[in-house]
Amino acid sequence: MPGIYFTELSAWEQVSSDLFHTETVHHRLWYQHVGKALGILLFNAGYSYDAQYRNLAFFMQLIAQNLGVFPTLGYAQPWESFMTDEGSPVELSWDWGTGDGKPTIRYSIEPIGLTAGTSLDPLNLLAGEAFESQLIKALPNLRVEWLRHFQEFFRGRGNNGCESLDPHDHNTSIFYAFDLIGTHTTAKAYFFPKFRAIARNEPNLQVLMQAVQTAPYSNESNLNALSMFSDFSNDTASAYLEYEMLAIDLINPQQSRLKIYFRCRETSFKSVANIMTLGGRTHSPNLQRGLEDLRSLWNALFEHCGSRPLTQVCHRTAGMLYNVEFKLGDHCPVVKIYIPVRHYSSSDQTVILSLDRYFKSHKRGKYMKAYSNAMTTLFGSKALVAGLGAQTYVGCSICPNGLLRIVSYFKPLLSTCLGLVDKLS
């Protein structure tokens, strides 16, 4: 639109005006605060006004009304999501890709009902079916064969749902995630094996393997990548790994990725390199080049660490998070690491400066200033310098050509967002 100047909140404000009706005050507040954060990211990542509007309208109409009780209304938050350490059901991310092109903005959510965690819905089971039907209507090209299979497979919680509440750990059973790519929104789903594992007294890994092996289109001849991962997982050196969840793309199952997530409490780069190569089972010159690049990023993030493990942190999400990714028919999985900078960096500003230093050394970072601007707008420069935890992970995977793909993850700090609304409204 020639002659019209758009600010980072123009699209957000227009969606607020056009789609003013909200189902509840919680719906309105989730859009006011997290929707605003999403709008700031889309603007700074270079999305067109039309793309900003389309993605914010999707968030307003589908996502914001399915995030449960907004936590800053004076209500106790009856359901704590495993999405973030503080229990918020939303995580945002900025995918840097492998070069200097425009970043992709993504987000992950846990659908939560307004009565989740209460006697009316102790296991947050009421929101899922309604959210799923809304999602299929909003994204008509969605494929649900694997969604149905894995939902049914992981559903087991024993005979009495209340008895299968875990008082010592999270009770989340499903996440959804959305990649905002061009004119399309692609969706993913994440499933947790722990409830079936507890009910059947089976290890999480065994449950995950069975889930994949029994999925439609899976057979022994197209699961070579899973077999390699199974061999790695059953190695005595891998006995300490903790298996968390399984993810799929909601597309044609024969083209979808399968991703198995696991955690390792060891934090030395030697351990990282071992897992990224599945204990030496995968190797190539390009993989070695990518590992050297990953070491360069590791040194930028933790410049005084050297070969030593990072400072020990006792927390449910401490250690390194990984996934192995493969499609049916792949011979070898790809490993991705999620470095929890929220536990191991000194401040959020240090994370930003470390990324900047790494990108400059690799002649990348065209959008580094935009990222820094977005973080400053969302969290404030003083909070970034003094605080830690706004940025949760830095994710890295090595592409077949040896290039390192990097993704920054962060959570909307809702108290900060409230201040931002007061300031900018």
Side-chain angles (χ1 to χ4, degrees), residues 159-364:
N159 295 326
N160 186 331
C162 290
E163 289 179 2
S164 62
L165 276 168
D166 189 341
H168 306 296
D169 195 19
H170 75 87
N171 286 285
T172 292
S173 60
I174 192 166
F175 290 153
Y176 289 88
F178 303 93
D179 292 4
L180 312 182
I181 303 172
T183 59
H184 304 289
T185 297
T186 62
K188 297 169 282 190
Y190 299 71
F191 310 90
F192 293 84
K194 58 176 284 186
F195 305 107
R196 183 183 175 104
I198 292 170
R200 293 172 174 256
N201 194 29
E202 295 174 347
N204 280 1
L205 177 61
Q206 181 178 334
V207 170
L208 290 166
M209 293 289 181
Q210 291 171 351
V212 174
Q213 291 164 345
T214 58
Y217 307 104
S218 294
N219 57 62
E220 187 174 348
S221 67
N222 63 16
L223 290 176
N224 291 330
L226 181 67
S227 296
M228 180 182 286
F229 178 61
S230 176
D231 183 55
F232 165 73
S233 300
N234 289 314
D235 193 311
T236 54
S238 303
Y240 51 85
L241 301 180
E242 304 167 21
Y243 298 91
E244 296 277 18
M245 60 185 175
L246 169 76
I248 59 169
D249 302 308
L250 298 182
I251 60 174
N252 181 342
Q254 293 171 298
Q255 297 170 359
S256 170
R257 299 166 299 169
L258 291 142
K259 297 187 285 186
I260 296 175
Y261 288 75
F262 58 98
R263 200 177 304 276
C264 176
R265 301 292 170 171
E266 291 192 18
T267 60
S268 68
F269 191 80
K270 180 180 179 181
S271 170
V272 170
N274 179 64
I275 292 177
M276 295 296 288
T277 61
L278 296 178
R281 290 168 178 81
T282 62
H283 48 83
S284 71
N286 281 343
L287 179 58
Q288 186 58 39
R289 172 188 163 198
L291 281 173
E292 292 169 0
D293 210 358
L294 176 58
R295 182 63 200 244
S296 175
L297 176 61
W298 182 273
N299 289 341
L301 290 167
F302 313 115
E303 58 181 333
H304 301 300
C305 177
S307 60
R308 301 185 307 275
L310 304 179
T311 302
Q312 185 174 358
V313 174
C314 295
H315 193 280
R316 172 66 175 82
T317 58
M320 297 294 129
L321 181 65
Y322 299 87
N323 75 38
V324 288
E325 172 189 311
F326 58 92
K327 297 179 182 179
L328 297 181
D330 284 352
H331 292 286
C332 180
V334 174
V335 184
K336 180 176 180 179
I337 181 173
Y338 300 80
I339 304 168
V341 289
R342 65 154 293 131
H343 291 311
Y344 298 107
S345 188
S346 58
S347 72
D348 282 299
Q349 184 64 20
T350 299
V351 176
I352 295 171
L353 294 175
S354 298
L355 287 170
D356 185 43
R357 186 162 57 249
Y358 167 82
F359 284 134
K360 284 179 177 175
S361 71
H362 288 71
K363 296 180 172 56
R364 290 177 58 184

Side-chain angles (χ1 to χ4, degrees), residues 30-272:
W30 281 115
Y31 180 72
Q32 277 189 332
H33 304 313
V34 180
K36 180 169 283 189
L38 178 60
I40 289 167
L41 292 175
L42 292 168
F43 177 87
N44 281 282
Y47 282 65
S48 69
Y49 177 86
D50 288 344
Q52 293 174 56
Y53 185 96
R54 181 179 63 254
N55 287 306
L56 288 167
F58 179 86
F59 186 88
M60 169 70 151
Q61 293 173 309
L62 177 65
I63 306 301
Q65 65 175 308
N66 287 290
L67 296 177
V69 172
F70 190 79
T72 57
L73 276 176
Y75 295 90
Q77 197 171 9
W79 184 264
E80 289 195 359
S81 175
F82 189 53
M83 181 63 70
T84 65
D85 289 350
E86 290 72 29
S88 171
V90 185
E91 185 175 60
L92 305 162
S93 60
W94 177 293
D95 186 344
W96 298 93
T98 60
D100 244 358
K102 285 185 179 180
T104 298
I105 301 303
R106 306 114 47 88
Y107 58 89
S108 305
I109 62 116
E110 179 183 3
I112 301 175
L114 291 176
T115 58
T118 72
S119 59
L120 297 175
D121 185 18
L123 290 170
N124 186 32
L125 300 179
L126 298 182
E129 187 174 337
F131 176 79
E132 185 184 315
S133 64
Q134 294 166 24
L135 178 61
I136 293 170
K137 184 177 180 181
L139 300 176
N141 292 327
L142 219 62
R143 293 284 292 269
V144 297
E145 299 101 307
W146 271 8
L147 178 66
R148 300 272 189 263
H149 164 73
F150 290 115
Q151 282 178 324
E152 184 61 32
F153 187 90
F154 290 116
R155 188 162 280 146
R157 285 177 178 258
N159 295 326
N160 186 331
C162 290
E163 289 179 2
S164 62
L165 276 168
D166 189 341
H168 306 296
D169 195 19
H170 75 87
N171 286 285
T172 292
S173 60
I174 192 166
F175 290 153
Y176 289 88
F178 303 93
D179 292 4
L180 312 182
I181 303 172
T183 59
H184 304 289
T185 297
T186 62
K188 297 169 282 190
Y190 299 71
F191 310 90
F192 293 84
K194 58 176 284 186
F195 305 107
R196 183 183 175 104
I198 292 170
R200 293 172 174 256
N201 194 29
E202 295 174 347
N204 280 1
L205 177 61
Q206 181 178 334
V207 170
L208 290 166
M209 293 289 181
Q210 291 171 351
V212 174
Q213 291 164 345
T214 58
Y217 307 104
S218 294
N219 57 62
E220 187 174 348
S221 67
N222 63 16
L223 290 176
N224 291 330
L226 181 67
S227 296
M228 180 182 286
F229 178 61
S230 176
D231 183 55
F232 165 73
S233 300
N234 289 314
D235 193 311
T236 54
S238 303
Y240 51 85
L241 301 180
E242 304 167 21
Y243 298 91
E244 296 277 18
M245 60 185 175
L246 169 76
I248 59 169
D249 302 308
L250 298 182
I251 60 174
N252 181 342
Q254 293 171 298
Q255 297 170 359
S256 170
R257 299 166 299 169
L258 291 142
K259 297 187 285 186
I260 296 175
Y261 288 75
F262 58 98
R263 200 177 304 276
C264 176
R265 301 292 170 171
E266 291 192 18
T267 60
S268 68
F269 191 80
K270 180 180 179 181
S271 170
V272 170

